[in-house]
C-alpha cells in the first residue's frame, strides 16, 4: 500500500491513522457495505453498495446501466469508504464527545472484470455475506452475468483510521462529577424470516444456522 | 423537498424511491452518522461524520482546519448519504440476493452557522446521540466554539430509498428446494464501559440508563 500520498495522508488525527496492509484488510473483511464516491458533472455523488475483498483488491458490481458503474468505468479515480461504528464516546464536555470506529478510505480507478472471471467474484461476494452459500444456490444464468458489470479496485492508495478506548477529556475536567465512558455497540442477527414462498420441506440450512450461531456479525455492515 | 431533480430522480429501482419529507426525515432521525461526499482537485472524497437534523436542515461540524469543512464552505454542492442496513436478503440465486435498507441521499451547499447559533446546534447533536445529555455536561468554552465550524445543509434536493420484505426471485426459481429469506439485523448497546478516570462517587446517570433501557438503537448508526 502506497502510504502517505497526497490523498491518503491523514493530516488531522494522524495518530489514529494506519497504512498497514493487514490493518486495512482486516477492516475491509469485517464489513460488506461501502460508500462509493464518484463525480458526475464535476459534483460528488455517493452510493452505498456491497463489496468483497479478494487478495489485493475489492470488487463492486451493478447493473450495466447503473449510473455509478458507468461513472466508475469512465476511468475516474473513485473514493471508497468503509466505516464500522463501534460505540459512542461520552466525554465530560460536548467538545470531547466522539465515536469509536474503524474506517478505511481508498482511492482507485476501476478495472472491468472479464466475463469468465465474473462468476468466481460474484460467488466470493455471496460467500462473504453468508459463508458457504454460493454452493447452495442455483448457478448463474448467462443473461444474469451479461447484465452485470463487475469492477476491480486495487487496494493501493489507502489508509485506515481507528479510534478505540475511553474519552479523552481536558485535564481539568476529570475532576468533574460527570459520568463519562463508552457505550459499545453490537449488531446481531435478531430474526430469521423465511420467504413466504418457500417450497415444501425446505429447512433452514447449516450455512445459515452457522452464521447466526457464530454471531459473526460484529455490527451492522460488519462480519467476522 | 424538490422531487425529481436531475440529481435526485431515481432511475434504477425507482419503485423503491420516495421524495416525501416525512419519509426522508424519519430516516435521517434514525441515524447520526452520514457519509459526506465532496470534491478536492476535481476528484470525489468521502468522510463519515456525525449529524443532527433540526427542522428542514442537517448540521455538520468539524475543526476549522478540517479538509472536509474547508471544502464544504467553499460553496460546492455536497452529497450527503445516510444508510441504515436492516438485513440481508437471501434469494434462490446469487442475482437476486439483496439487502434490506433505508437510505437518504441529499445534495446541498453548506451555509456557515453564525457564532451565537453554534451552542444550540451542538447541544442538539449531543442530545441526538444521547437524549438529555447536553444538560449533564459542562458548558461549551469559548475557545472550543471558536475552533469549531458548524454548517447547515438544507434538506431541499433529497430522495429516500427503502427496500424491505422477502426476496423477489425469478418466478421459475420458487419451486427450487433452496432456503430463502431475510436475516434481520439489530444493533444494541452491548456494554457500558465507564471511564477509568471517573471521579469518586459518580454513578451512571438516568439519561444513559434510559438510552440503554429504551433500546433506542435500531442498529449501528441508528437511533429511535
Amino acid at each position: 500500500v502506497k502510504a502517505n500520498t497526497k490523498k491518503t495522508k491523514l493530516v488531522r488525527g494522524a495518530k489514529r491513522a494506519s497504512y498497514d496492509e493487514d490493518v486495512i484488510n482486516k477492516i475491509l473483511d469485517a464489513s460488506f457495505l461501502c460508500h462509493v464516491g464518484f463525480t458526475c458533472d464535476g459534483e460528488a455523488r455517493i452510493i452505498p453498495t456491497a463489496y468483497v475483498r479478494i487478495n489485493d483488491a475489492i470488487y463492486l458490481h451493478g447493473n450495466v446501466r447503473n449510473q455509478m458503474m458507468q461513472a466508475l468505468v469512465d476511468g475516474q479515480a473513485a473514493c471508497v469508504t468503509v466505516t464500522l461504528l463501534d460505540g459512542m464516546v461520552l466525554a465530560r464536555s460536548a467538545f470531547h464527545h466522539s465515536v469509536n470506529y474503524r474506517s478505511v478510505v481508498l482511492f482507485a480507478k476501476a478495472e472491468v472484470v472479464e466475463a469468465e472471471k465474473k462468476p468466481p467474484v460474484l460467488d466470493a461476494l455471496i460467500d462473504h455475506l453468508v459463508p458457504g452459500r454460493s454452493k447452495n444456490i442455483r448457478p448463474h444464468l448467462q443473461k444474469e452475468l451479461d447484465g452485470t458489470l463487475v469492477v476491480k479496485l486495487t487496494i493501493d492508495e489507502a489508509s485506515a483510521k481507528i479510534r478505540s478506548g475511553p474519552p479523552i477529556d481536558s485535564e481539568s475536567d476529570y475532576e468533574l462529577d460527570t459520568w463519562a465512558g463508552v457505550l459499545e455497540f453490537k449488531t446481531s442477527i435478531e430474526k430469521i424470516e423465511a420467504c413466504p414462498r418457500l417450497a415444501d420441506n425446505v429447512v433452514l440450512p447449516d450455512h445459515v444456522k452457522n452464521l447466526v450461531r457464530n454471531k459473526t456479525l460484529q455490527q451492522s455492515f460488519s462480519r467476522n
Side-chain angles (χ1 to χ4, degrees), chain A residues 96-115:
Chain A
H96 288 290
H97 273 66
S98 188
V99 290
N100 280 339
Y101 62 90
R102 289 161 290 156
S103 69
V104 165
V105 174
L106 73 89
F107 296 91
K109 290 186 182 181
E111 300 164 58
V112 175
V113 172
E114 293 163 48

Side-chain angles (χ1 to χ4, degrees), chain A residues 171-221:
Chain A
E171 197 52 44
S172 57
D173 286 343
Y174 282 103
E175 62 192 37
L176 295 173
D177 62 350
T178 308
W179 189 88
V182 174
L183 308 182
E184 292 180 9
F185 296 160
K186 187 192 170 197
T187 294
S188 50
I189 295 170
E190 153 102 323
K191 199 175 169 188
I192 301 172
E193 189 87 57
C195 178
R197 295 185 62 184
L198 219 53
D200 292 342
N201 306 320
V202 174
V203 296
L204 193 68
D206 285 341
H207 67 276
V208 176
K209 277 187 202 161
N210 289 340
L211 179 68
V212 178
R213 187 169 44 226
N214 293 340
K215 300 187 179 195
T216 47
L217 281 164
Q218 285 185 359
Q219 51 140 288
S220 242
F221 312 176

